[in-house]
Amino acid sequence: EQKQINDVISHIIRIQHQKLTVNQLADFSCMIPQAFCRWVRKHTGLSFITYLNKSRIEAACQILLVSDRSVKTIASEVGFESISHFNRTFKKYIGISPLEYRKKHAGKRTMMV
């Protein structure tokens, strides 16, 4: 079961920039959607959507630190179709806007490159 959750998480991370649905990932996992959602919550402690959004926001944080790409471009790269949804979700999990995050961590950018 641990291998299966690792495979699913790796798959999600690999394709998180795409539009993902519970049905797609349930099919990938050979489960029905309801069972997949329970299974994800059991193994991550989070709903599928929360896990996906957190994963995308973590990826966005990394890109913000190492690139000068626009927030809109980064939002699209990590899988958000709407910049306003990205900004709200980013602020929900990180506590500040993406631009504030970039400014706050500007000194760390040179260390990571």
Side-chain angles (χ1 to χ4, degrees):
E1 199 168 353
Q2 188 60 45
K3 181 184 178 337
Q4 187 179 16
I5 191 69
N6 289 342
D7 289 347
V8 171
I9 287 172
S10 293
H11 183 68
I12 290 170
I13 291 169
R14 236 185 351 268
I15 64 168
Q16 71 185 1
H17 61 282
Q18 299 174 12
K19 182 174 179 153
L20 298 177
T21 66
V22 170
N23 289 342
Q24 288 172 312
L25 290 162
D27 285 346
F28 175 81
S29 305
C30 301
M31 295 181 203
I32 62 170
Q34 297 84 351
F36 174 77
C37 289
R38 282 192 305 272
W39 184 76
V40 169
R41 185 175 295 276
K42 175 184 170 188
H43 289 283
T44 67
L46 303 169
S47 72
F48 165 69
I49 295 300
T50 300
Y51 179 82
L52 179 60
N53 283 337
K54 281 188 159 203
S55 178
R56 287 174 168 171
I57 295 300
E58 287 174 13
C61 286
Q62 292 301 312
I63 297 169
L64 284 164
L65 292 177
V66 299
S67 82
D68 292 326
R69 289 180 285 222
S70 72
V71 171
K72 184 176 181 178
T73 299
I74 293 169
S76 177
E77 287 176 5
V78 299
F80 284 89
E81 295 180 5
S82 157
I83 186 68
S84 60
H85 182 234
F86 172 73
N87 284 326
R88 277 191 313 275
T89 305
F90 193 97
K91 193 164 189 172
K92 175 181 176 181
Y93 293 120
I94 305 300
I96 55 178
S97 74
L99 286 176
E100 290 170 317
Y101 181 86
R102 181 177 266 166
K103 288 176 188 173
K104 182 178 179 181
H105 298 288
K108 297 176 186 174
R109 292 176 74 182
T110 55
M111 294 187 303
M112 293 185 75
V113 175

